[in-house]
Amino acid sequence: MTETPQKSKPGQFKTRLIICIFSSLLLAIGSLLAVVTGRIIKVFGPEIMFDQILFHIMMPSGTIDSTIIHQFFFDSLSQKHMLVLGLTVPLCLAILSLPFRHISWMVSRTLRFFADHPATLALIFATAIFLFSCARFCKRFKVLSSIVSMFQHSEVIDDYYVNLKLTDFHQVDNKGQPIQDSEKPNLILIVSESLESTFSNPQIFAQDLLAELTKLKEKADFIEDLRQVHGCHYTIATMYAIQYGLPLLFLPHRGGSPVQKNILQKNCISIFDVLNASGYQILHLQGTKLRFAGQGELFAHLPNARCLGVEEISLAEYPERQNWGLWDSDLFDKAKKEIQEMALNQRPFALSLQTLDTHVGNVLQPGKEYRYSDARDIIRLQSKLIAEFIAWVQMQTFGKNTVIVILGDHNMMTRKLGSVNLPHSDDRQVFDCIIKSKSNGAMSTKRHAAAFDFAPTILDALSFQWPTYSLGIGRSLYRNKPTILESIGKEAWDCEAKKTSKTYTHLIRD
């Protein structure tokens, strides 16, 4: 005699159906969240913060490269992740089908418990997966502490911010006389992806990965302790800090990203506003699309500034491309051509150059020298490319009157280079170097600073004088005024920067 499955009542059927559908959604969302968490850590590094994620998610369409999102969610998903997603859907469907179809006696004996309470078990299982994924996401990216901080107030930015006008800046010579346009020093600002002074540390690396740049620093100005801090911990944030002397902090608001609101409202000024008012030719050059990280928006308010990205550079001129765009070797070659054209005019020029070959996940350019067969080779090549470019500039007629600034944008988004383990980010230093500064001040290598301190430092190096030698919350490193990190320390800044500020809110929203 065999048992036959009991038919569910209409009300039970509907309840089970709703529970199973809800369970399927929880399981799918939980699985997707687990995959996304892993992808964020792998692509952007283990120390990415929640505000950084929110900032990029809320960037308006057209200001960030959509191919990055596509690659993140589709092209870059590994087979393992696809397998996870592929298994969850059939599992949900299997659980959903169990209560409503006849099962043979042998199967029902094995799955008796599941056959009696499938919907409830499915809900418990899906809820557990969902909660685990949420907890992991929140812990990894410090979601709760970030949200709590948004409702707390800090007066650090309020206390350190200096309100300035363009008329406060005067470019003068050593005798205090105004400098004619033809005699004003040029600026080349190289922001190099993930370039760290750490790569020269003999306690970590057997050989100096930045041998050429280390040699350049012997006759240049630099500090030994340029730190990655909150608000300057990813590319667009650091570039913003270097230009405005302010961190890039996320604040929930309507009407666009903080970058756009700040620039369009014109509640503060950047170094390029000062240079534009002083008659400089301004060019920003990068090998990626200008929408990459929204970098093009930093120059959008300057009507006479030119911006060239991979879409503006002819494919016929540089046919070899990598995943993100131009190789840095071609980018530097393009920079040489543009500089030569600008140098023909009787006006000073300011070139902003953003490299990208050293981004985590990139490969060594074909035909270049292999030594380690990992990212260390790319770092070595970057040092050579920058040094060769600088050597070329210094050989030109305009080279003697050109200030060159080299800065890393943030720490490399990894804790390991080949077989070498890197220290925690708090124990790593970002690369910095200023060549042929025109400042009448002196820079001590023992300073402690962040990217926003280089905004006034660059203007100081270009022979600008103004009463405070500050910009935003930054302090010129050629002067004796203490920086924020020297006053309150990095740990305190990282904590306070996550909170709201009346001054910062006014600069962005009003």
Side-chain angles (χ1 to χ4, degrees):
M1 186 175 181
T2 60
E3 296 182 11
T4 57
Q6 296 181 355
K7 294 182 178 180
S8 300
K9 296 179 180 180
Q12 293 178 335
F13 180 91
K14 184 177 180 180
T15 301
R16 289 179 179 178
L17 179 62
I18 293 174
I19 292 175
C20 287
I21 293 174
F22 183 67
S23 300
S24 299
L25 290 174
L26 282 179
L27 189 57
I29 294 173
S31 300
L32 181 61
L33 188 59
V35 170
V36 169
T37 301
R39 285 300 306 160
I40 291 176
I41 295 172
K42 184 174 182 179
V43 175
F44 300 107
E47 296 172 10
I48 186 173
M49 302 295 291
F50 184 57
D51 64 330
Q52 181 179 346
I53 298 173
L54 287 177
F55 175 80
H56 284 85
I57 290 176
M58 296 187 68
M59 285 283 281
S61 60
T63 61
I64 191 167
D65 189 0
S66 61
T67 59
I68 298 175
I69 306 298
H70 184 275
Q71 183 186 49
F72 179 83
F73 283 106
F74 299 102
D75 298 344
S76 298
L77 288 177
S78 66
Q79 293 181 355
K80 179 179 66 175
H81 296 140
M82 295 302 294
L83 180 62
V84 171
L85 291 176
L87 288 176
T88 56
V89 175
L91 179 61
C92 292
L93 294 176
I95 293 175
L96 182 62
S97 67
L98 281 175
F100 315 123
R101 61 176 180 159
H102 294 277
I103 307 173
S104 68
W105 168 243
M106 294 299 296
V107 176
S108 65
R109 289 188 62 184
T110 306
L111 304 174
R112 181 179 298 277
F113 186 75
F114 293 97
D116 291 341
H117 308 284
T120 303
L121 288 176
L123 180 60
I124 294 173
F125 176 74
T127 302
I129 295 296
F130 176 77
L131 293 177
F132 174 80
S133 298
C134 288
R136 180 169 176 258
F137 182 88
C138 292
K139 181 180 179 180
R140 279 285 190 176
F141 307 122
K142 301 179 181 179
V143 175
L144 295 181
S145 62
S146 297
I147 294 176
V148 170
S149 296
M150 291 179 186
F151 295 94
Q152 297 176 332
H153 177 71
S154 172
E155 296 181 351
V156 171
I157 293 180
D158 303 342
D159 293 339
Y160 275 82
Y161 180 75
V162 178
N163 190 23
L164 295 168
K165 303 183 297 294
L166 289 176
T167 54
D168 293 326
F169 296 86
H170 303 282
Q171 201 168 16
V172 297
D173 59 22
N174 293 331
K175 298 180 180 180
Q177 299 300 315
I179 304 177
Q180 300 299 318
D181 282 354
S182 60
E183 299 177 353
K184 291 178 179 179
N186 307 301
L187 170 66
I188 296 178
L189 171 60
I190 303 173
V191 181
S192 183
E193 172 69 37
S194 305
L195 191 65
E196 299 183 44
S197 296
T198 313
F199 302 148
S200 297
N201 191 332
Q203 297 179 349
I204 302 174
F205 297 96
Q207 293 182 325
D208 188 352
L209 300 181
L210 303 177
E212 296 80 8
L213 294 182
T214 299
K215 187 174 181 179
L216 277 174
K217 291 174 71 171
E218 295 176 357
K219 297 181 179 180
D221 296 330
F222 66 94
I223 64 171
E224 296 176 345
D225 194 25
L226 175 59
R227 294 300 183 99
Q228 172 181 291
V229 300
H230 192 81
C232 315
H233 53 297
Y234 52 101
T235 300
I236 185 64
T238 298
M239 293 191 67
Y240 179 80
I242 293 171
Q243 294 184 24
Y244 282 85
L246 286 166
L248 183 56
L249 306 175
F250 174 81
L251 290 178
H253 60 280
R254 297 176 295 175
S257 73
V259 176
Q260 288 181 307
K261 292 295 290 183
N262 197 334
I263 289 175
L264 296 178
Q265 294 288 347
K266 295 306 298 171
N267 288 324
C268 58
I269 59 177
S270 77
I271 63 173
F272 288 104
D273 289 315
V274 177
L275 296 179
N276 181 70
S278 298
Y280 277 71
Q281 306 169 79
I282 298 174
L283 171 65
H284 173 66
L285 186 61
Q286 64 185 72
T288 60
K289 295 178 181 179
L290 294 176
R291 297 188 300 277
F292 180 82
Q295 294 179 61
E297 294 300 310
L298 290 171
F299 300 88
H301 69 290
L302 295 170
N304 297 321
R306 292 191 301 134
C307 293
L308 300 179
V310 66
E311 293 178 321
E312 289 74 31
I313 298 174
S314 170
L315 186 63
E317 187 176 9
Y318 298 103
E320 295 184 5
R321 303 290 169 98
Q322 58 157 311
N323 184 36
W324 296 105
L326 265 68
W327 295 103
D328 283 346
S329 60
D330 290 338
L331 184 68
F332 282 116
D333 185 73
K334 180 64 175 177
K336 292 177 183 178
K337 297 176 182 178
E338 294 294 333
I339 290 175
Q340 286 176 320
E341 289 187 14
M342 290 190 292
L344 295 176
N345 301 322
Q346 296 300 311
R347 295 166 53 207
F349 64 81
L351 170 67
S352 167
L353 188 68
Q354 168 69 39
T355 71
L356 200 73
D357 277 4
T358 43
H359 194 290
V360 168
N362 283 358
V363 297
L364 183 66
Q365 183 176 356
K368 302 302 180 180
E369 179 188 0
Y370 277 93
R371 178 178 295 179
Y372 302 101
S373 297
D374 55 46
R376 286 174 290 181
D377 289 325
I378 307 177
I379 296 170
R380 289 177 59 247
L381 175 60
Q382 185 73 185
S383 177
K384 292 180 180 179
L385 290 176
I386 294 176
E388 289 172 357
F389 175 70
I390 292 174
W392 176 86
V393 170
Q394 294 180 331
M395 290 175 60
Q396 310 307 308
T397 55
F398 54 81
K400 293 182 180 180
N401 198 33
T402 298
V403 177
I404 304 173
V405 181
I406 312 168
L407 293 171
D409 58 354
H410 51 71
N411 292 338
M412 186 163 281
M413 298 177 291
T414 181
R415 292 182 180 174
K416 194 168 185 178
L417 281 178
S419 59
V420 179
N421 293 318
L422 295 174
H424 189 273
S425 63
D426 289 342
D427 299 318
R428 292 155 67 175
Q429 292 80 33
V430 180
F431 186 90
D432 70 279
C433 179
I434 300 180
I435 301 171
K436 290 191 178 299
S437 170
K438 309 301 179 183
S439 174
N440 58 14
M443 182 184 294
S444 169
T445 61
K446 302 301 180 182
R447 302 298 300 268
H448 306 283
F452 41 72
D453 291 308
F454 273 85
T457 301
I458 291 171
L459 291 178
D460 200 344
L462 289 171
S463 70
F464 281 94
Q465 293 184 6
W466 67 106
T468 62
Y469 285 101
S470 306
L471 186 62
I473 62 172
R475 302 293 185 261
S476 172
L477 298 174
Y478 286 107
R479 309 297 159 174
N480 293 325
K481 296 183 178 181
T483 66
I484 287 183
L485 296 193
E486 290 171 336
S487 298
I488 67 175
K490 179 183 182 302
E491 184 176 349
W493 164 259
D494 285 343
C495 179
E496 294 298 308
K498 298 174 185 176
K499 303 176 183 179
T500 59
S501 158
K502 291 181 181 178
T503 299
Y504 197 86
T505 302
H506 161 71
L507 291 172
I508 291 179
R509 289 181 174 172
D510 293 348

